Amino acid sequence: MRLIVTKLSVGLWSAAYIKNAIRSFAPTEHKPFVLGLPTGSTVLDMYAILRTFAQERLRSFQHVITFNMDEYIGLPTDHPQSYHRYMYQNLFSGVHMRPDHIFIPNGQAPDLVAECNRYESSIARVGGIRLLIGGIGRNGHIAFNEPGTAFNSRTHVVDLSASTREANARFFQNNVSRVPPQAITIGIGTILDAKELLFIASGVKKAAAVSHLITHEPTLDWPLTALKLHPHATLLADLEACVLLGGTVKTRLDEAQQADPHAEQWSINLEDL
Ligand code: GLP
């Protein structure tokens, strides 16, 4: 696994990465680029920059298929805090995509288990996710896979933990009771099946999760540690998200910063440590 620490905005870095990944893949109608997408505040800048890019190159998303990671159960798609609404507001309204290229779990499906299976089949039908972008929860959740979730889990219904509902209450008038108690999420197995993973951590609130990822062996207690099992995974973090790093990684990072204080980013291969 690779750790990239950037002094710049993680939004700029990740948007440029996605843009280049799509460009170099040169997608066509018969060879679409399949992109996995998260929600959350960490990636708002990334979406804003992608929208700007799409305005300059109108056809940049023409052959892109997107799969969102999760959705609350029970929120209408036009609810201000539904992930459907979030995605249309922050990305889809500003890029030219075919509506049938946009996939988001339906949290209002009458049969939620059937909906989870349908979602997995839709991913499989397009040949799997090529590049999956993710955020991380303060408790180390990825998508909405809470601590304890099996690493081979597929798309499923999840009971959100108290800490996740508290963290997300800020979007629901700071009222925890308004945060839906359940969600549909792609599984950790679904995430690990993607060809490439880019997860993003920004700010001091993510520092504990980042430190667990870097210093611990994969453990169900910290779902994001599953990323270490993937052959092509990157964690992109800003300096604040790295403040709790210790040990060899911290030493490596300090050395790299001293060697080139003007660098905008530093990359460490965790397998080399
Ligand atoms: C929610 C989403 C996750 C996201 C996390 C982080 O819980 N389901 O996919 O990674 O929020 O959000 P933020 O970026 O707002 O900290």
Side-chain angles (χ1 to χ4, degrees), residues 4 9 22 25 40 50-51 67 80 100-101 111 116 130 132 150 157 165 179 186 191 198 205 228 233 250 266:
I4 292 184
S9 101
I22 296 173
F25 185 80
L50 283 177
R51 284 200 315 268
F67 282 90
D100 64 331
H101 277 184
D111 182 342
C116 293
R130 173 145 208 105
L132 187 144
V157 171
R165 292 181 74 210
V179 182
I186 62 170
I191 293 173
L198 173 64
K205 285 180 180 156
K228 284 186 153 168
K250 165 98 171 92
W266 301 275

Side-chain angles (χ1 to χ4, degrees), residues 37-44 69-72 83 86 133-139 141-146 160 164-165 167-168 170-171 183-185 199-202 205-206:
L37 291 175
T39 50
S41 39
T42 306
V43 286
L44 283 171
M69 295 197 176
D70 43 23
E71 177 57 290
Y72 289 112
Y83 289 163
Y86 171 104
I133 312 297
I136 60 176
R138 291 177 209 177
N139 65 355
H141 71 233
I142 46 177
F144 263 141
N145 292 285
E146 297 285 23
L160 299 177
T164 295
R165 292 181 74 210
N168 289 1
R170 66 194 197 278
F171 302 116
I184 291 182
T185 180
F199 274 70
I200 306 169
S202 162
K205 285 180 180 156
K206 303 297 168 68

